[in-house]
Amino acid sequence: MGIRPEIDGFPSNDPQQPGLVLHDPTGIATAMLLIPPALVPALAEEPLPPELARALSEAGFLEDDNYARLLEAFARAETLPARHGGPGNYPTEGAALRRLFDTWFAAPGAGRPLHAIAAPHASPEPARGSYVSAYAALAASLPRAEAAGKTFVVLGTSHQGARDRFGMTRKRFVTPVGETRTRVPEPLAALAAMEDPCFAVEHSIEFQVVFLQYLYGPDIEIVPILCGPLTSPRHPFLEALGEWSAREGDRLRWVLGVDMAHKGPRYGDREARRAYTDSMAEIEQRDRGRIAALAAGDREAFWAQVRERNDDLNWCGTAPFYSYLAAHPSARGELLTYEHWQIDPRSVVTFAGMTFAGSGGQRLPEGPGRLSTNDL
């Protein structure tokens, strides 16, 4: 009866309460447990000291009967609560969220056909420019009055899932805006893993759901798909995804939750990086080369650039981008916004807002104004 291998820990940042803070990144056990410094070495003992074992068991951190009960309760639950609201991301109260987003968005005008958008999955506040450019384009292309009967396919980066694995869930997403409907097409489910624990903690999908609900109301229908890191450009899921999309046709709109480069000591580099300076010049040039391949719909060129230097740019949006292009070979994209985020004093993340035209689609924005969300 040992500690569950997925349990993670980090040093306490409270000098009055030093020690190691343990938590469950899967979200199945919701407790956080502070282990005093004197007891930290005992975490490696077999067997664990009785009092420590009891505390870990009560928190759901051991592979025992209590964890089995928590896992069963999680499996029975029909919804996934939002976990990533708060400062820097989005307000955890519905009215406050709507007020904030009302200040971000202008009313959509007329536009041209649109099949998909790519938006960041970085924290919405620092990535606001790219989020707004992408979702304003979506709002213009698909007015709320015309959205009935549409399904939003959300391709998100899987930060917890295995390589070459696509994950799905039947659980509904609950955010401060409301509750979604979730659809799992059987042709895709047969080739995907049901990854409820990954979805429970994954922000790449949750952030997109919040924006979609803001634009179209809480009762949207989504097909959420987590894309694990790809080691090969060939995967049976991608062929099935394209065939299913062709059958569904104009009923679908696609949203990619994707970030781009991750550079600096935070991500294993020796060299410190500063946003929008010469230290990022080569990174931005290479980012834009990949973006150009994506916009041209050239997934082979994109894949070749990713494999170059063993992807030292650390693009975490590679799998969703490639999956979308593999399923839609005729798609062509447009870059709307490209940004750097100084995530800490020495490290930078890049991301963008993009649109793709392919099959079906609607219109891109032209004019300013207010986006009405009074009925949300």
Side-chain angles (χ1 to χ4, degrees), residues 47 67 136 209 213 228 234 236 263 265 271 328 352 359 372:
Y67 171 62
V209 172
Q213 289 179 320
R234 295 176 178 84
K263 298 299 291 181
E271 182 181 352
H328 306 96
S359 58
S372 175

Side-chain angles (χ1 to χ4, degrees), residues 148-219:
K150 303 298 184 185
T151 296
F152 297 96
V153 187
V154 185
L155 301 178
T157 297
S158 181
H159 294 92
Q160 305 290 335
R163 292 181 180 275
D164 298 311
R165 188 166 71 191
F166 292 86
M168 304 189 76
T169 183
R170 290 184 169 85
K171 295 182 184 295
R172 300 185 300 277
F173 286 71
V174 180
T175 79
V177 181
E179 184 174 305
T180 67
R181 290 174 285 122
T182 302
R183 179 181 170 199
V184 179
E186 288 308 316
L188 303 183
L191 296 168
M194 289 297 115
E195 290 193 314
D196 294 343
C198 291
F199 278 93
V201 296
E202 183 56 69
H203 58 284
S204 69
I205 299 284
E206 180 180 315
F207 289 157
Q208 315 313 319
V209 172
V210 169
F211 279 93
L212 288 171
Q213 289 179 320
Y214 168 77
L215 293 178
Y216 298 111
D219 190 31

Side-chain angles (χ1 to χ4, degrees), residues 211-260:
F211 279 93
L212 288 171
Q213 289 179 320
Y214 168 77
L215 293 178
Y216 298 111
D219 190 31
I220 55 172
E221 180 177 82
I222 64 170
V223 175
I225 302 173
L226 285 176
C227 307
L230 291 175
T231 62
S232 169
R234 295 176 178 84
H235 195 291
F237 184 88
L238 300 180
E239 182 177 355
L241 189 67
E243 292 173 352
W244 172 72
S245 179
R247 288 193 299 271
E248 293 286 318
D250 191 56
R251 178 180 178 180
L252 304 181
R253 292 296 179 271
W254 295 72
V255 175
L256 285 60
V258 285
D259 289 343
M260 294 178 176

Side-chain angles (χ1 to χ4, degrees), residues 2-75:
I3 299 175
R4 292 166 50 207
E6 60 268 33
I7 297 302
D8 198 7
F10 56 88
S12 169
N13 59 11
D14 183 353
Q16 303 300 317
Q17 293 185 301
L20 183 69
V21 179
L22 299 182
H23 71 107
D24 179 2
T26 72
I28 294 172
T30 58
M32 299 185 74
L33 195 61
L34 177 64
I35 307 299
L39 284 179
V40 170
L43 292 171
E45 294 180 9
E46 292 185 12
L48 292 165
E51 290 188 6
L52 180 59
R54 187 179 307 112
L56 291 167
S57 176
E58 291 175 356
F61 294 167
L62 296 185
E63 294 177 317
D64 62 4
D65 291 344
N66 188 46
Y67 171 62
R69 287 190 290 271
L70 291 174
L71 187 59
E72 183 181 357
F74 176 81

